[in-house]
Amino acid sequence: MLDNCKDAKERWGGVSTIIDRWLEERRKMLVSFCELSALKAPKADEEVRGGKLRHLCEILVDYVSAGHFEVYDQLIKEGREFEDEEALKEASKLFAIVDQTTQEVLDFNDKYLETDDLETLDRDLSFLGETLETRFTAEDRMIAVLHTAHKDLVA
């Protein structure tokens, strides 16, 4: 998509749109996460809780997929285009962190796709929250070193 653009502004300005859309998905995911977390057992209606859990899992998988198959690729391409070896090196380390959190998010998703037992959900949500915090920190840093750092060169 962006490969056919003629100048840096045209080419990498589109990355901002991709990132903005992805960060909006992140916001929606966090809202869903918080809504589900607020429904503590045993007071919460299990059917409502299960529905919110399924919704969260869908958003989680969509968010993780967009990162891996759309956003990170564009960030890496931008770093390479600007020959920013230092940023690419840091991004590689950050991607290792993101990759680990991806497995943890997918494990959460897989567990709750296979069971209606919500006995450990509160504990698992707590762990998922910590995982997401780690992920967001790494992702935000990747955006900073691979995209925001080149913003003036794109203008």
Side-chain angles (χ1 to χ4, degrees), residues 95-109:
F95 187 76
I97 294 168
V98 168
D99 205 36
Q100 177 60 41
T101 67
T102 297
Q103 189 55 55
E104 292 164 355
V105 167
L106 294 177
D107 289 347
F108 177 90
N109 179 68

Side-chain angles (χ1 to χ4, degrees), residues 10-136:
E10 185 180 359
R11 185 172 194 170
W12 301 116
V15 174
S16 293
T17 302
I18 292 168
I19 291 170
D20 289 346
R21 186 177 61 237
W22 183 58
L23 292 176
E24 176 60 19
E25 287 179 33
R26 179 196 286 183
R27 187 196 65 75
K28 289 176 183 177
M29 179 188 47
L30 285 171
V31 168
S32 181
F33 176 86
C34 290
E35 287 175 351
L36 178 58
S37 295
L39 298 175
K40 297 288 184 189
K43 297 177 185 175
D45 178 339
E46 291 300 311
E47 189 173 320
V48 170
R49 209 166 179 225
K52 289 196 178 290
L53 175 60
R54 283 186 293 282
H55 180 69
L56 174 61
C57 286
E58 289 172 13
I59 293 173
L60 277 170
V61 170
D62 289 348
Y63 177 82
V64 168
S65 296
H68 281 281
F69 299 113
E70 189 174 2
V71 178
Y72 307 148
D73 286 345
Q74 290 302 323
L75 290 172
I76 297 297
K77 283 180 185 178
E78 185 174 346
R80 287 184 181 140
E81 180 79 13
F82 288 101
E83 298 176 358
D84 194 341
E85 294 304 318
E86 191 173 316
L88 289 167
K89 186 176 178 182
E90 184 175 352
S92 178
K93 293 175 187 174
L94 293 166
F95 187 76
I97 294 168
V98 168
D99 205 36
Q100 177 60 41
T101 67
T102 297
Q103 189 55 55
E104 292 164 355
V105 167
L106 294 177
D107 289 347
F108 177 90
N109 179 68
D110 292 348
K111 176 179 181 178
Y112 288 103
L113 280 178
E114 296 175 7
T115 184
D116 290 331
D117 181 8
L118 304 182
E119 187 74 27
T120 60
L121 180 59
D122 291 333
R123 184 185 74 228
D124 292 342
L125 281 171
S126 178
F127 180 74
L128 178 63
E130 292 171 11
T131 299
L132 291 174
E133 182 178 356
T134 299
R135 181 186 191 90
F136 297 159

